[in-house]
Amino acid sequence: MSRVKLERVVKHYGNVVALRELDLEIQEGEFLTLLGPSGCGKTTTLRLVAGFIEPTQGTIYLGNDDVTYVPPQKREIGMVFQDYALFPHMTIEDNIGFGLKERRVGREEIRHRVGELLDLIHLPGVQDRYPAELSGGQAQRVAVARAVAYAPRVLLMDEPLGALDLKLREAMQIELRRIQQELKITTVYVTHDQGEAMNMSDRIVVMNLGLIEQTGSAEDIYNNPRTKFVADFIGSINFLPAKIVGDDGEWSVAETVGAKVKVPKSGASSSSGEVAIALRPERLELVVNGGDGMNVVPGTISNKIFNGNLMRVFVDVGAREPVVIELPPADVHGETGDSVSVGWAPQNGQVLME
Amino acid sequence: MTISTPAATSAPNGARRRPGFHFPTGKVSFYGFCSLSYIFLLSPLVVVVGASLHRGTRYTVVKFPPEDLSLYWYTQIPDAHWEALTLSFGLAFMASMLACVVGIPAALGLVRSNIPLKGLFSSIFRAPLQIPSIVTGVAFLQMYYLFGDLTGLYVNGTFAGLLLGHLFVGIPYVVGTVGAVLQRFDTRLEEAAQSLGAGRITTFRRVTLPVIMPGVYAGGLYAFMVSFGDVPISIFLSAPGFVTFPVELFYGMENDFNPSVLASSTLVILFSLGLLLLMQRIVGLENLLRSGGGS
């Protein structure tokens, strides 16, 4: 049974369409991330599930209950905000115990439960402090403890790590994922950070302009992006403009920047119009001679950037932008200005509609 | 411009800081200016307090500094002053409480809602501050006469009549300060409370109200002080034998000045000072908890 279900949900703000028509199911215990640029509708979706806003059309279910017009306080949800939203005038214990008190849980039991939750978030002993006395990371963990204190039906998180610095953010990703798995709580997470989405999620929903572009596991979306938007949004990628010119049985044949290359067969590879070949930088090679069975495109090295464990090589192949290749520094032969060839195995190039 | 070496800094063009003693012109003028401001603000009070301690005779004029230190005039404060003080205190207390009761919902409505003509409503709530108090006093008196002629119920010269007038000038302060706090209020706090199961009333009682409380204290204090110190409105709305403290002082000074006025004024100054310190403590503490909590 799915925990959360949105059916044909549409949301307009005046003349602005925030969600076109959204169908989404979230399974019991699943960590689902809504990923996309600002204005894509991800936060709107989360706030619809929370009940802070009502949809223009469509139905929202929590479990078997239609909650479309149920106010948030009756939905049994837990919500974590980007700026923590801890109650500044209450101690940590009163913050975490807020939902329990609303549910008429006794004082002793609240004390006990708060202690357990502080152990869970690895922050024991802060019961009597005030939110202003905590660091950002600590405050956000307390916010999570507050949201899960009474075992809500779903945990909703709106860019919870957005206010933290990079190092702390990465540690918190692991921490949040651990808490989620320990509690086995159904979670909907909103972020615009693709790294964050990939680190934490069971499933990622990539959104753009109020529509779902693609849904799948991190691996699935990274390896098989269905649209140029998804390919571009998840990880870094090169696009070569191409046109399908033939078929050699196993592969489709495309012409790009003056060379004929083999590409996997797909919906897009049977199109006769303009397409793009999507190439991940780490799956490209600098080919010195031959490169048997590989697709090869000639070019000139225009720049090299040393990144520690990786060298990024920019090769001008005559497309609008140089092709970026990521290689272990030891594998890079050639200097800026040298003529080289960029090679890749045919299955690593993906044809996407322009 | 090139970066100069230490030697070059003392070259003629950069020679404003020579080694050795520098007269701290900036600091001296800053502290000097601050001191003058304080002297300006505090000297009238010092004179009143000081002069109240001068024994002198009944018909001494204000004598400062006091020569003959004594608390004599404190024993000579007439009963009328004590009665007027009690009335003023009760009036100011009630007026500031009621101003909060009316002002908080008004501020919420003005900041949160999307009612049409919001600007107009805001101006109406500010208007009492823009009308000279003397005009307000006359207007209220006229209104009371009209109301009395219509219903036979004359409220001028009664506690209720004074209270309404003082409420009128007190409300804008509460609306102003609470409105300012609400502008900065993080509405996510309310959403968080709702998501945790709190309904609208509980959310207001447990989250919104405690967080905006510094604004309520500040506005309430203003309303209290304005009511406590008001002459122009009260002078029209009080009745013989039923006057507020400032009006009593005013009449006293006009008819028969004697230094007991200074003594009761000193008591009021001390009372106000205590009230301010108390508020500073409460609001200051609240502010400490507020800051950083939501950021």
Side-chain angles (χ1 to χ4, degrees):
Chain A
M1 187 191 78
S2 60
R3 259 296 172 176
V4 183
K5 191 167 158 193
L6 291 93
E7 243 174 34
R8 308 169 69 83
V9 170
V10 178
K11 179 66 186 173
H12 295 203
Y13 288 107
N15 291 327
V16 182
V17 182
L19 284 181
R20 273 164 214 281
E21 192 175 282
L22 193 90
D23 282 291
L24 186 62
E25 275 192 51
I26 299 141
Q27 302 305 316
E28 177 87 51
E30 186 177 27
F31 193 120
L32 181 116
T33 298
L34 302 174
L35 173 67
S38 55
C40 72
K42 57 189 193 298
T43 297
T44 301
T45 308
L46 195 77
R47 293 175 66 76
L48 282 165
V49 176
F52 296 136
I53 48 176
E54 286 178 358
T56 311
Q57 281 169 43
T59 318
I60 300 164
Y61 298 94
L62 286 182
N64 290 324
D65 308 331
D66 175 352
V67 297
T68 315
Y69 300 105
V70 174
Q73 64 265 28
K74 301 218 169 104
R75 288 198 185 189
E76 306 275 306
I77 50 162
M79 179 97 188
V80 177
F81 299 88
Q82 174 170 348
D83 45 11
Y84 327 131
L86 294 176
F87 307 126
H89 58 292
M90 291 184 198
T91 61
I92 301 307
E93 176 162 303
D94 289 345
N95 263 283
I96 296 178
F98 190 96
L100 296 169
K101 200 170 164 193
E102 283 307 310
R103 284 164 182 76
R104 307 265 183 276
V105 177
R107 194 185 296 174
E108 271 314 301
E109 205 181 325
I110 292 182
R111 243 201 125 67
H112 178 72
R113 182 88 181 107
V114 168
E116 277 179 3
L117 284 158
L118 287 177
D119 286 340
L120 172 77
I121 60 168
H122 294 168
L123 213 61
V126 299
Q127 277 91 339
D128 297 328
R129 292 208 218 154
Y130 282 89
E133 300 171 68
L134 300 184
S135 72
Q138 289 173 332
Q140 198 53 288
R141 279 186 280 166
V142 168
V144 173
R146 180 178 69 176
V148 300
Y150 54 90
R153 297 204 270 194
V154 56
L155 175 62
L156 308 172
M157 296 201 253
D158 188 6
E159 309 236 10
L161 307 182
L164 305 178
D165 62 52
L166 186 66
K167 260 244 154 67
L168 190 58
R169 216 182 301 164
E170 283 172 0
M172 282 294 291
Q173 288 167 13
I174 297 167
E175 185 75 3
L176 287 183
R177 179 64 167 160
R178 176 187 67 77
I179 294 169
Q180 188 264 335
Q181 288 187 324
E182 257 176 63
L183 298 173
K184 300 186 177 63
I185 188 169
T186 313
T187 301
V188 184
Y189 190 97
V190 160
T191 183
H192 64 269
D193 181 333
Q194 45 109 0
E196 206 166 286
M198 294 176 88
N199 285 348
M200 305 170 76
S201 323
D202 294 316
R203 207 150 54 101
I204 297 173
V205 175
V206 184
M207 297 182 70
N208 187 31
L209 302 171
L211 281 172
I212 293 178
E213 290 266 335
Q214 190 169 353
T215 306
S217 69
E219 252 183 293
D220 186 27
I221 289 181
Y222 186 82
N223 291 329
N224 302 301
R226 270 213 298 271
T227 62
K228 266 188 90 171
F229 175 83
V230 174
D232 204 21
F233 201 78
I234 308 274
S236 51
I237 199 147
N238 300 292
F239 292 114
L240 290 178
K243 209 172 161 61
I244 303 296
V245 293
D247 187 332
D248 79 344
E250 197 185 346
W251 308 99
S252 291
V253 177
E255 192 179 303
T256 179
V257 292
K260 282 213 165 67
V261 296
K262 293 181 207 163
V263 292
K265 289 191 168 172
S266 67
S269 75
S270 56
S271 114
S272 57
E274 298 283 312
V275 293
I277 304 177
L279 300 163
R280 294 284 178 199
E282 73 277 10
R283 295 189 185 149
L284 293 173
E285 291 172 40
L286 283 177
V287 179
V288 186
N289 41 21
D292 33 58
M294 290 213 295
N295 290 322
V296 178
V297 176
T300 317
I301 298 181
S302 62
N303 199 3
K304 293 200 298 186
I305 294 173
F306 178 65
N307 253 1
N309 57 337
L310 284 174
M311 181 84 90
R312 315 186 82 201
V313 184
F314 294 74
V315 180
D316 186 2
V317 295
R320 203 172 339 140
E321 290 182 16
V323 171
V324 183
I325 309 176
E326 283 175 7
L327 290 169
D331 294 357
V332 178
H333 308 286
E335 295 303 321
T336 303
D338 288 0
S339 292
V340 289
S341 288
V342 176
W344 72 91
Q347 67 270 21
N348 286 337
Q350 207 182 359
V351 180
L352 299 172
M353 298 298 291
E354 246 320 315
Chain B
M1 207 182 109
T2 55
I3 297 162
S4 40
T5 61
T9 2
S10 54
N13 59 345
R16 289 177 57 194
R17 287 211 153 259
R18 269 184 243 102
F21 176 77
H22 300 279
F23 186 74
T25 320
K27 249 186 192 168
V28 166
S29 46
F30 173 74
Y31 285 113
F33 186 74
C34 290
S35 308
L36 282 176
S37 308
Y38 276 111
I39 290 168
F40 172 71
L41 290 173
L42 290 175
S43 46
L45 301 183
V46 172
V47 170
V48 169
V49 175
S52 77
L53 296 171
H54 178 74
R55 173 73 158 81
T57 60
R58 181 171 175 79
Y59 298 103
T60 339
V61 278
V62 175
K63 186 93 181 168
F64 187 85
E67 285 159 7
D68 185 10
L69 281 182
S70 145
L71 288 175
Y72 172 74
W73 289 112
Y74 287 80
T75 64
Q76 296 301 307
I77 296 174
D79 286 347
H81 281 198
W82 291 114
E83 279 162 28
L85 262 176
T86 315
L87 172 64
S88 273
F89 183 82
L91 192 60
F93 182 78
M94 288 290 288
S96 57
M97 287 294 149
L98 282 178
C100 290
V101 171
V102 179
I104 295 170
L108 273 167
L110 289 174
V111 173
R112 296 278 177 84
S113 69
N114 293 315
I115 46 168
L117 302 177
K118 202 158 131 177
L120 179 70
F121 284 112
S122 285
S123 312
I124 290 175
F125 272 103
R126 269 198 308 275
L129 299 181
Q130 287 149 0
I131 304 170
S133 300
I134 192 95
V135 176
T136 306
V138 172
F140 263 89
L141 188 63
Q142 285 300 322
M143 188 175 79
Y144 288 167
Y145 279 138
L146 272 174
F147 183 74
D149 291 345
L150 282 172
T151 63
L153 189 68
Y154 291 90
V155 288
N156 45 301
T158 68
F159 187 79
L162 277 169
L163 184 60
L164 278 181
H166 285 209
L167 187 59
F168 181 78
V169 286
I171 288 172
Y173 290 100
V174 177
V175 174
T177 55
V178 174
V181 176
L182 278 173
Q183 295 282 3
R184 285 182 284 125
F185 184 88
D186 180 7
T187 51
R188 307 265 150 179
L189 291 178
E190 288 176 354
E191 292 184 351
Q194 279 180 285
S195 75
L196 293 166
R200 295 178 77 114
I201 293 168
T202 317
T203 301
F204 179 75
R205 190 172 53 79
R206 289 191 64 195
V207 176
T208 316
L209 190 60
V211 173
I212 64 171
M213 218 46 205
V216 177
Y217 284 131
L221 182 68
Y222 280 132
F224 185 96
M225 285 308 188
V226 165
S227 161
F228 199 76
D230 172 78
V231 170
I233 297 174
S234 308
I235 211 163
F236 284 102
L237 303 183
S238 49
F242 189 71
V243 288
T244 63
F245 180 67
V247 175
E248 172 69 27
L249 283 194
F250 183 77
Y251 286 147
M253 304 270 284
E254 247 186 1
N255 300 334
D256 164 33
F257 176 82
N258 81 62
S260 66
V261 166
L262 297 171
S264 44
S265 300
T266 300
L267 292 181
V268 170
I269 290 171
L270 290 178
F271 167 74
S272 308
L273 205 65
L275 196 66
L276 269 175
L277 288 175
L278 186 74
M279 282 297 153
Q280 194 77 46
R281 240 188 115 75
I282 298 172
V283 179
L285 191 68
E286 292 274 340
N287 274 334
L288 193 72
L289 299 181
R290 280 170 50 79
S291 62
S295 62

